[in-house]
Amino acid sequence: MSASDPSQASVAGLARSKSELAELIRKRVGSRLFVNVSNREPFVHSFGPDGQVRAQAAVGGLTLALNSVMQAVGGVWVAHGSGDADRASADPEGRLRVPPDNPAYDLQRVWLTSEENDGYYNGCANQAIWPICHLAFTKPVFRTAHWEAYRKVNAKFAAAVARAVGDQDAIIFIQDYHFALLPRLIKQRCPNAVCVHFWHIPWPLPEVLAMCPWHEQILDGVLGNDVFGVHVPEYAERFLRAARTRAGCDIADSRTLLRDGRPVRVQAFPISIDFDRVSRRASGAACDEAVSELRERYRLDGKFVVLGLDRIDYTKGVIERLQAIERMLALHPEMRAKTAYIHAGAPSRTEIPAYRDLHEAVAAIEKRINAGGSGREPGPVISIQRQLGDDDVLALYRLADVCVVSSLEDGMNLVAKEFLAARNDERGHLLLSEFTGAAWELPGADCFNPLAVDDFAERLYALSGRADAGGAQRMRRLREHVRTHNIYGWIGSILQAVPGQPDAQ
Ligand code: F6P
């Protein structure tokens, strides 16, 4: 993805803080019911070893931000009830008030059988739609049974939304590619509801989309929206092109198409993070402690520390990153004792064969690299394969000389933005794949092609030696961009695009 002018997208800081956002939401939503829909739920209940029920808040900046929206506006969050104590902690309809310690909105859980979840989530969403949306050369799997499960689960969610809405005016905020059919289904049941959908992954090229046997239904489903949001203008352009050529829509203007005479607004809203929260926490005492602990545990003093932090997913370029490290060490053997490559990556979607294979391939290369030395010293690869707590993640950002984001295609990539926010010292270097939304958005970031492994290796080597001339200035500029284009501005921009609010322009 080539860098272009971010001002083309709606990145206006319509709300810079949580409190400004709350104010904006109250104005924009007015008396309408606000319904958020996502696959993952904000609070999962599970039984502890003592048989007691425990509520666990989902991790991640987006969930935290959506939780803030829900707390400001009330309403209903509809999501898959996935915890083993979820039924026991909800009413017979699957509803409960959350957050548990300060109830402010309803969580409506949708129950899925393991067969439904397998077909919808492991099958259609993650083996068909995910690979066609990412140009990472993993062959999609199109099974009729997966598609049937996807349709059935989307219909279940539509029924849950319709029950929550009743005859009220409502705004339905839909998250992600798990719900391509949902907007159309909601419109059939609640014609007055406004549907706003954010697609958190790339939107595919029309030619690639057409490989999916269900592309017409997917397009028709998404065209049920009033507003369809993607990360960058290129995805919006791809969507407009597919809607015109494959679904016969007319284009009204550069951001609006007409489906059966009804306007559908398609727009880029680059997602972001809560910069102030990350930056503040990265300066906290708990993070200082984690820095010392990790530095000592992994003997990082005096080392060139390269960090890769991502779910183990074939779109993240995990293999290419390892190949680049291996190549750098082969070309510059003296770097072996001086380098620590930390791969912090929680296993992900492990029921899917492509992910299991990747897991094994990653382990094999890591073992090979570490076995390459004398055997007296620990190898340069440090693999942390578990979900880390916030302070450990921030400590790793602080310890890194280089944070490498090597995605082969990525809608945005929030690791890049979190790394910048965590570096209050304005040091460290972000090496950013040019195939990320972040590369398009961040002005002057150091971008590279992760598939060109030889060049990738040389880039790493060059960064090990030089004092990064102009580095602090670059960091300052990038940090300022993320600070002023934060998650609250993201949600604010989307709400601004919602039609029909009392004071809409
Ligand atoms: O980037 C797409 C996305 O679905 C995110 O919304 C989510 O945080 C991430 O992938 C992890 O996916 P999963 O919910 O399948 O673990």
Side-chain angles (χ1 to χ4, degrees), residues 60-71:
L62 175 63
T63 315
L64 283 175
L66 288 172
N67 193 48
S68 307
V69 172
M70 296 304 296
Q71 281 184 288

Side-chain angles (χ1 to χ4, degrees), residues 409-468:
E409 190 167 28
D410 212 330
M412 174 53 65
N413 194 282
L414 295 180
V415 165
K417 294 187 175 183
E418 283 180 2
F419 171 70
L420 295 169
R423 293 310 293 249
N424 296 317
D425 59 356
E426 296 176 350
R427 295 169 70 98
H429 190 96
L430 174 65
L431 190 57
L432 181 60
S433 162
E434 63 188 85
F435 309 126
T436 58
W440 166 84
E441 190 199 340
L442 292 172
D446 183 14
C447 296
F448 78 113
N449 174 356
L451 289 163
V453 169
D454 292 330
D455 177 58
F456 187 171
E458 280 308 332
R459 297 283 283 263
L460 285 176
Y461 178 66
L463 286 167
S464 74
R466 83 179 145 99
D468 192 2

Side-chain angles (χ1 to χ4, degrees), residues 39-40 121 126 130 176-178 200-201 311 348-349:
N39 175 54
R40 298 233 180 234
Y121 174 83
N126 285 318
W130 178 270
D176 237 334
Y177 61 101
H178 309 91
H200 289 263
I201 62 176
R311 286 182 305 109
S348 175
R349 305 177 187 166

Side-chain angles (χ1 to χ4, degrees), residues 90-96 107-111:
D91 73 11
E93 270 71 54
R95 264 200 191 215
L96 66 157
L107 171 58
Q108 171 67 62
R109 288 175 168 149
V110 176
W111 310 121

Side-chain angles (χ1 to χ4, degrees), residues 241-435:
R241 204 142 53 84
R244 189 168 49 78
T245 58
R246 308 249 160 211
C249 293
D250 291 326
I251 306 290
D253 62 45
S254 63
R255 274 186 188 158
T256 317
L257 51 83
L258 298 174
R259 177 62 159 179
D260 304 325
R262 195 178 55 80
V264 181
R265 181 161 169 168
V266 181
Q267 194 172 330
F269 302 101
I271 200 168
S272 194
I273 59 164
D274 185 340
F275 180 95
D276 291 336
R277 191 186 73 86
V278 173
S279 169
R280 220 178 14 252
R281 187 148 183 170
S283 296
C287 188
D288 288 347
E289 235 174 79
V291 166
S292 312
E293 201 268 320
L294 290 168
R295 182 183 280 133
E296 204 172 311
R297 182 174 345 149
Y298 296 119
R299 298 198 242 160
L300 299 177
D301 263 341
K303 295 256 174 87
F304 170 51
V305 180
V306 179
L307 173 69
L309 193 145
D310 27 48
R311 286 182 305 109
I312 302 186
D313 189 302
Y314 53 80
T315 62
K316 303 289 182 188
V318 185
I319 296 279
E320 288 71 13
R321 209 160 59 214
L322 279 165
Q323 287 170 338
I325 292 282
E326 193 170 34
R327 184 96 189 107
M328 178 185 82
L329 299 179
L331 291 171
H332 308 283
E334 77 287 359
M335 289 301 296
R336 202 180 161 80
K338 297 187 211 162
T339 302
Y341 165 56
I342 304 178
H343 176 216
S348 175
R349 305 177 187 166
T350 45
E351 286 172 40
I352 298 174
Y355 285 75
R356 279 203 302 272
D357 293 350
L358 175 72
H359 218 268
E360 282 171 23
V362 167
I365 306 179
E366 290 183 345
K367 198 165 159 205
R368 187 171 75 214
I369 298 176
N370 278 350
S374 63
R376 283 192 299 275
E377 288 291 314
V381 179
I382 298 163
S383 176
I384 310 176
Q385 289 190 10
R386 64 191 149 81
Q387 191 71 52
L388 291 169
D390 274 3
D391 291 308
D392 282 339
V393 168
L394 297 175
L396 288 175
Y397 289 140
R398 282 178 47 186
L399 285 162
D401 293 299
V402 184
C403 176
V404 187
V405 171
S406 51
S407 307
L408 306 184
E409 190 167 28
D410 212 330
M412 174 53 65
N413 194 282
L414 295 180
V415 165
K417 294 187 175 183
E418 283 180 2
F419 171 70
L420 295 169
R423 293 310 293 249
N424 296 317
D425 59 356
E426 296 176 350
R427 295 169 70 98
H429 190 96
L430 174 65
L431 190 57
L432 181 60
S433 162
E434 63 188 85
F435 309 126

Side-chain angles (χ1 to χ4, degrees), residues 10 43-44 69 72 131 140 166 214 232 239 286 331 409 428:
S10 173
F43 298 92
V44 182
V69 172
W214 318 298
V232 297
F239 183 83
L331 291 171
E409 190 167 28

